[in-house]
Every structure is written in C-alpha cells, then in structure tokens.
Amino acid sequence: MSDAIKTYNSMSELYASFGGKLEQDVDFTIHRNEELYTEVPIKSPLYRTSYYFVLILRKGRGRYIIDDQSYLIRDNIIYFTNPGHVKGFEIDETLQGYIITFSESFLKQYVHENILDEFPFLIAEVAPPSYPDREIFQIFDDLGGQLLQEYQSDSTYKYKVIGCLTVMLLLKIKERFWKAYDPLIEASTSSDITLTFKRNLEAHFRNLLAGKCDRMNQVQDYAQAQYLHPSYFSTVIKYKTGKSVNSWIAEKTIAESKAMLARSSESVQEIAFRLGFKDAAHFSRFFKKHTKLSPLSFRQSLQNL
C-alpha cells in the first residue's frame, strides 16, 4: 500500500485536512454529518485513522471505501470501523446523521479496562456496513441524539455519562451485528496473524498489570509466539494495519498509562514499574514523547474536565 496514505490520530486532524476546524479535548467526538460536510460532491483521499468510527446515517448517497472493498452509502446505514484500515469516501448527496469517534484510551478511562473482552469486534479487521430496517435504525439514531446532547452539555459528569452511552451503543452494535463474532476466525492467514498479535498484546499488558511478568515484550517476542520470523511478522503487521509493531506497543502502553493515571491513585513510579519500565524517569520521557505532557501534567489536566 502507498506510503502516501496519511494516518490521522484524531477527528480534528482528519477534518483539518479538508480545511475545517474542530475543538477536541478528549478522545471522543460526535457531530452531525450535515454540519461537517456542507458542500457536495466530495471525494476524499485514502487515509488511515488510529481511532474508531461509528456512522449513523439516516439519509445520504455515496460510497465508503475500506481496504480493497467499496460499500454503498444509502438511507438507514450503520457503519463501524476499527483503527488501521485504509479508508476513503465519496459523498454525492448531503449526509444526515451522526459521526462518532473514540479511542481505545477513552474506552479504558471512561468505560472499563477489559473492554476488548466484552466487545471482541473492536479488534476485528472485517467490518462491512449494516442496513437495518427503520425500527432497528431508530434505536441507533436515538442513541446518537443522546450522545450529541451530552457532548454539547456542561455537565460535571459529561464524559462519564458519555462513557455509559457509548457502552449502550457498543452493546447494540454487538447485539444486532456481531453477536456470534469470533475474532480469531478470519478469512486469510495475514488476518489471523494480525488478530492473534492484537490478542497477545492485550494479554501481555494484562499480565504486566497483574504482576505476572516484569518486562515489556518486544517485536521478537510477539513473532516467536506465532512461530514467525520477526522480519516477516513485522511486514505483515505493517501491511495489514498501516502501523509498525513498535507503534502498536507504544500506543497500547500510552492507553494503559492514561487509564492508570486517570483511574488509580498510584504514583508515577508505581505505574512505571507495573508497565515494565526500569525507572520513573524513563517512563516519564516515554509518556511525554507520545503525549506532549508529563504523567503528572496529564493527571492534573483530568481534574479540570
């Protein structure tokens, strides 16, 4: 796949690429589609995102591209995508509905730490759109309205409420479209490698936090777990997800770090040791490199939300 494909780490970055501007304080957004893309037709370049998308579209025409597949956009469509895919879209008629984005770190901070156990489709690679009947679609449309209302509010518990509503949204997605999904059953060997890596990554961090191991796994450890040469393993992961193994490890480390800083009273040093860092200084440098904030500054910023 082309190196020219850009990766966006937030909805703000994606929208800015089209000349717009969005304010975003937390890794969650919801907007009305008709307010984001007011001039049609629109054809986007191909891109990747490091966050989840949920589109609830009651009206509109066009098509959505994911990897090498193309899907029609029409009335009453629910579209869910995970991070890592190559995406693109063409809008022929103004879309009406909601576009919702959130990151793994948001889910871990405002929902619960083992979110991937309850919702295994969050690591799926194949996610075609659904076209439910009007009655089922209305359930999602109503949830979108509730999420937008809360997102625009000044409530003290704003993001906690949004977290609860997001759980409702994910449960409805699971109930209607992914009830029998098994993330380890995919069509191709490459998908199996990627999904197994994501599962191993999640399991390893769980063991780290439980004190069952004292060092962070590296690329060769994840390759060895699948009996693959590290070079081949790295190539497959990069090709299928658009991110290197080290990027996945770093993002997972930051997601867990943010969750612990937000939800626990442990010191920075204790958190560093639990995540396999040799000392707090190394952890602080790593955290600041990826977030532009020190761990203490990040923790203090949460008190202002």
Side-chain angles (χ1 to χ4, degrees):
M1 292 187 181
S2 173
D3 291 336
I5 296 172
K6 186 171 176 55
T7 297
Y8 297 104
N9 296 311
S10 70
M11 184 62 183
S12 297
E13 288 184 10
L14 174 60
Y15 194 57
S17 72
F18 294 99
K21 183 178 180 181
L22 291 177
E23 299 297 331
Q24 184 175 348
D25 298 323
V26 176
D27 292 336
F28 177 95
T29 68
I30 177 169
H31 297 279
R32 295 185 187 276
N33 283 281
E34 53 267 43
E35 294 175 358
L36 289 182
Y37 306 113
T38 56
E39 297 182 7
V40 293
I42 298 173
K43 182 177 181 178
S44 77
L46 294 177
Y47 62 92
R48 301 180 194 271
T49 64
S50 62
Y51 50 91
Y52 297 92
F53 260 112
V54 180
L55 283 84
I56 303 172
L57 304 179
R58 77 180 71 87
K59 285 188 178 181
R61 293 292 182 273
R63 71 186 183 108
Y64 204 94
I65 301 163
I66 181 164
D67 295 332
D68 57 350
Q69 301 294 317
S70 177
Y71 301 102
L72 287 177
I73 295 174
R74 59 177 175 80
D75 295 354
N76 299 344
I77 177 175
I78 309 295
Y79 200 80
F80 171 84
T81 64
N82 293 332
H85 294 288
V86 175
K87 302 181 179 74
F89 58 83
E90 296 176 7
I91 301 174
D92 301 322
E93 178 185 306
T94 300
L95 305 181
Q96 296 181 27
Y98 305 102
I99 179 169
I100 304 165
T101 72
F102 49 85
S103 67
E104 180 184 345
S105 61
F106 172 82
L107 294 176
K108 286 182 173 291
Q109 286 179 51
Y110 294 100
V111 182
H112 60 76
E113 294 182 3
N114 299 327
I115 190 74
L116 299 183
D117 284 348
E118 185 172 358
F119 303 108
F121 62 84
L122 290 173
I123 59 171
E125 290 202 45
V126 180
S130 298
Y131 305 95
D133 60 36
R134 180 62 196 173
E135 182 179 356
I136 299 302
F137 178 82
Q138 191 61 50
I139 296 172
F140 290 91
D141 204 11
D142 290 344
L143 273 172
Q146 292 177 60
L147 277 164
L148 181 63
Q149 182 178 2
E150 194 62 36
Y151 185 69
Q152 294 175 337
S153 78
D154 296 322
S155 170
T156 303
Y157 305 106
K158 173 177 177 175
Y159 289 106
K160 290 184 178 180
V161 173
I162 286 175
C164 293
L165 290 171
T166 301
V167 169
M168 292 177 62
L169 177 63
L170 293 176
L171 283 169
K172 287 299 179 182
I173 290 174
K174 180 179 180 179
E175 177 186 35
R176 296 295 176 183
F177 315 126
W178 294 89
K179 186 180 293 184
Y181 175 70
D182 182 345
L184 293 181
I185 299 177
E186 287 279 355
S188 70
T189 301
S190 295
S191 292
D192 286 341
I193 291 171
T194 302
L195 289 167
T196 301
F197 163 60
K198 291 179 181 180
R199 274 291 179 85
N200 290 343
L201 183 68
E202 179 73 12
H204 173 64
F205 272 84
R206 189 167 303 172
N207 287 336
L208 267 179
L209 297 180
K212 296 180 180 179
C213 54
D214 58 5
R215 75 170 186 88
M216 193 176 296
N217 278 354
Q218 305 300 313
V219 175
Q220 57 269 27
D221 298 308
Y222 291 107
Q224 185 177 7
Q226 297 194 57
Y227 306 98
L228 298 172
H229 189 281
S231 178
Y232 173 74
F233 172 72
S234 298
T235 299
V236 169
I237 299 300
K238 179 63 188 275
Y239 182 85
K240 294 294 292 183
T241 71
K243 294 189 293 189
S244 68
V245 177
N246 283 327
S247 292
W248 278 102
I249 295 172
E251 289 178 14
K252 183 67 175 174
T253 304
I254 291 300
E256 296 292 350
S257 301
K258 286 183 174 180
M260 294 172 72
L261 288 164
R263 299 170 70 111
S264 79
S265 59
E266 292 179 85
S267 68
V268 171
Q269 182 171 337
E270 289 172 324
I271 292 173
F273 289 161
R274 287 185 65 188
L275 288 170
F277 289 86
K278 293 183 178 180
D279 56 66
H282 182 200
F283 169 65
S284 295
R285 288 194 298 271
F286 176 89
F287 190 92
K288 190 169 185 177
K289 175 184 176 182
H290 290 277
T291 68
K292 310 303 181 186
L293 292 172
S294 70
L296 285 177
S297 296
F298 174 79
R299 178 173 269 172
Q300 290 169 357
S301 70
L302 296 177
Q303 299 173 0
N304 298 323
L305 294 178

